[in-house]
PDB file of all heavy atoms in Angstrom:
ATOM      1  N   VAL B 268     -19.905  65.960  -7.561  1.00  0.00           N
ATOM      2  CA  VAL B 268     -20.911  66.206  -6.526  1.00  0.00           C
ATOM      3  C   VAL B 268     -21.562  67.571  -6.761  1.00  0.00           C
ATOM      4  O   VAL B 268     -22.793  67.700  -6.692  1.00  0.00           O
ATOM      5  CB  VAL B 268     -20.267  66.108  -5.123  1.00  0.00           C
ATOM      6  CG1 VAL B 268     -21.238  66.550  -4.050  1.00  0.00           C
ATOM      7  CG2 VAL B 268     -19.820  64.674  -4.870  1.00  0.00           C
ATOM      8  N   LEU B 269     -20.744  68.583  -7.079  1.00  0.00           N
ATOM      9  CA  LEU B 269     -21.306  69.905  -7.390  1.00  0.00           C
ATOM     10  C   LEU B 269     -22.251  69.809  -8.586  1.00  0.00           C
ATOM     11  O   LEU B 269     -23.348  70.359  -8.575  1.00  0.00           O
ATOM     12  CB  LEU B 269     -20.184  70.911  -7.674  1.00  0.00           C
ATOM     13  CG  LEU B 269     -19.307  71.269  -6.474  1.00  0.00           C
ATOM     14  CD1 LEU B 269     -18.198  72.233  -6.889  1.00  0.00           C
ATOM     15  CD2 LEU B 269     -20.157  71.871  -5.354  1.00  0.00           C
ATOM     16  N   ALA B 270     -21.823  69.070  -9.609  1.00  0.00           N
ATOM     17  CA  ALA B 270     -22.673  68.895 -10.792  1.00  0.00           C
ATOM     18  C   ALA B 270     -23.948  68.143 -10.418  1.00  0.00           C
ATOM     19  O   ALA B 270     -25.023  68.431 -10.945  1.00  0.00           O
ATOM     20  CB  ALA B 270     -21.914  68.152 -11.883  1.00  0.00           C
ATOM     21  N   GLY B 271     -23.829  67.194  -9.481  1.00  0.00           N
ATOM     22  CA  GLY B 271     -25.001  66.450  -9.021  1.00  0.00           C
ATOM     23  C   GLY B 271     -25.996  67.376  -8.328  1.00  0.00           C
ATOM     24  O   GLY B 271     -27.210  67.276  -8.539  1.00  0.00           O
ATOM     25  N   ILE B 272     -25.475  68.284  -7.492  1.00  0.00           N
ATOM     26  CA  ILE B 272     -26.351  69.238  -6.801  1.00  0.00           C
ATOM     27  C   ILE B 272     -27.038  70.139  -7.828  1.00  0.00           C
ATOM     28  O   ILE B 272     -28.249  70.378  -7.762  1.00  0.00           O
ATOM     29  CB  ILE B 272     -25.538  70.073  -5.780  1.00  0.00           C
ATOM     30  CG1 ILE B 272     -25.038  69.159  -4.657  1.00  0.00           C
ATOM     31  CG2 ILE B 272     -26.390  71.198  -5.212  1.00  0.00           C
ATOM     32  CD1 ILE B 272     -24.041  69.803  -3.714  1.00  0.00           C
ATOM     33  N   ALA B 273     -26.269  70.588  -8.826  1.00  0.00           N
ATOM     34  CA  ALA B 273     -26.852  71.427  -9.879  1.00  0.00           C
ATOM     35  C   ALA B 273     -27.947  70.660 -10.616  1.00  0.00           C
ATOM     36  O   ALA B 273     -29.027  71.199 -10.884  1.00  0.00           O
ATOM     37  CB  ALA B 273     -25.772  71.871 -10.855  1.00  0.00           C
ATOM     38  N   LEU B 274     -27.684  69.387 -10.894  1.00  0.00           N
ATOM     39  CA  LEU B 274     -28.681  68.568 -11.594  1.00  0.00           C
ATOM     40  C   LEU B 274     -29.952  68.433 -10.757  1.00  0.00           C
ATOM     41  O   LEU B 274     -31.063  68.483 -11.279  1.00  0.00           O
ATOM     42  CB  LEU B 274     -28.091  67.189 -11.921  1.00  0.00           C
ATOM     43  CG  LEU B 274     -29.043  66.153 -12.523  1.00  0.00           C
ATOM     44  CD1 LEU B 274     -29.727  66.672 -13.780  1.00  0.00           C
ATOM     45  CD2 LEU B 274     -28.288  64.861 -12.858  1.00  0.00           C
ATOM     46  N   ALA B 275     -29.766  68.291  -9.436  1.00  0.00           N
ATOM     47  CA  ALA B 275     -30.925  68.182  -8.543  1.00  0.00           C
ATOM     48  C   ALA B 275     -31.768  69.451  -8.612  1.00  0.00           C
ATOM     49  O   ALA B 275     -33.006  69.390  -8.734  1.00  0.00           O
ATOM     50  CB  ALA B 275     -30.464  67.924  -7.113  1.00  0.00           C
ATOM     51  N   ILE B 276     -31.102  70.596  -8.570  1.00  0.00           N
ATOM     52  CA  ILE B 276     -31.834  71.869  -8.609  1.00  0.00           C
ATOM     53  C   ILE B 276     -32.588  71.997  -9.929  1.00  0.00           C
ATOM     54  O   ILE B 276     -33.782  72.308  -9.961  1.00  0.00           O
ATOM     55  CB  ILE B 276     -30.859  73.056  -8.405  1.00  0.00           C
ATOM     56  CG1 ILE B 276     -30.275  72.991  -6.989  1.00  0.00           C
ATOM     57  CG2 ILE B 276     -31.563  74.384  -8.637  1.00  0.00           C
ATOM     58  CD1 ILE B 276     -29.116  73.941  -6.747  1.00  0.00           C
ATOM     59  N   VAL B 277     -31.906  71.705 -11.024  1.00  0.00           N
ATOM     60  CA  VAL B 277     -32.548  71.758 -12.342  1.00  0.00           C
ATOM     61  C   VAL B 277     -33.734  70.805 -12.393  1.00  0.00           C
ATOM     62  O   VAL B 277     -34.813  71.149 -12.883  1.00  0.00           O
ATOM     63  CB  VAL B 277     -31.522  71.410 -13.451  1.00  0.00           C
ATOM     64  CG1 VAL B 277     -32.209  71.157 -14.786  1.00  0.00           C
ATOM     65  CG2 VAL B 277     -30.486  72.514 -13.583  1.00  0.00           C
ATOM     66  N   SER B 278     -33.544  69.592 -11.851  1.00  0.00           N
ATOM     67  CA  SER B 278     -34.608  68.587 -11.931  1.00  0.00           C
ATOM     68  C   SER B 278     -35.834  68.990 -11.115  1.00  0.00           C
ATOM     69  O   SER B 278     -36.969  68.823 -11.563  1.00  0.00           O
ATOM     70  CB  SER B 278     -34.103  67.231 -11.440  1.00  0.00           C
ATOM     71  OG  SER B 278     -33.053  66.793 -12.256  1.00  0.00           O
ATOM     72  N   VAL B 279     -35.610  69.522  -9.908  1.00  0.00           N
ATOM     73  CA  VAL B 279     -36.752  69.895  -9.064  1.00  0.00           C
ATOM     74  C   VAL B 279     -37.484  71.086  -9.679  1.00  0.00           C
ATOM     75  O   VAL B 279     -38.719  71.098  -9.771  1.00  0.00           O
ATOM     76  CB  VAL B 279     -36.286  70.211  -7.624  1.00  0.00           C
ATOM     77  CG1 VAL B 279     -37.430  70.797  -6.809  1.00  0.00           C
ATOM     78  CG2 VAL B 279     -35.767  68.944  -6.960  1.00  0.00           C
ATOM     79  N   TYR B 280     -36.695  72.075 -10.157  1.00  0.00           N
ATOM     80  CA  TYR B 280     -37.314  73.220 -10.815  1.00  0.00           C
ATOM     81  C   TYR B 280     -38.076  72.748 -12.051  1.00  0.00           C
ATOM     82  O   TYR B 280     -39.240  73.092 -12.251  1.00  0.00           O
ATOM     83  CB  TYR B 280     -36.240  74.238 -11.209  1.00  0.00           C
ATOM     84  CG  TYR B 280     -36.776  75.395 -12.003  1.00  0.00           C
ATOM     85  CD1 TYR B 280     -37.537  76.393 -11.380  1.00  0.00           C
ATOM     86  CD2 TYR B 280     -36.539  75.497 -13.375  1.00  0.00           C
ATOM     87  CE1 TYR B 280     -38.045  77.449 -12.114  1.00  0.00           C
ATOM     88  CE2 TYR B 280     -37.040  76.548 -14.116  1.00  0.00           C
ATOM     89  CZ  TYR B 280     -37.794  77.527 -13.487  1.00  0.00           C
ATOM     90  OH  TYR B 280     -38.300  78.563 -14.217  1.00  0.00           O
ATOM     91  N   GLY B 281     -37.436  71.913 -12.845  1.00  0.00           N
ATOM     92  CA  GLY B 281     -38.059  71.375 -14.051  1.00  0.00           C
ATOM     93  C   GLY B 281     -39.326  70.605 -13.723  1.00  0.00           C
ATOM     94  O   GLY B 281     -40.323  70.704 -14.433  1.00  0.00           O
TER      95      GLY B 281
END
Side-chain angles (χ1 to χ4, degrees):
Chain B
V268 172
L269 292 178
I272 294 170
L274 174 55
I276 294 169
V277 168
S278 298
V279 171
Y280 175 74

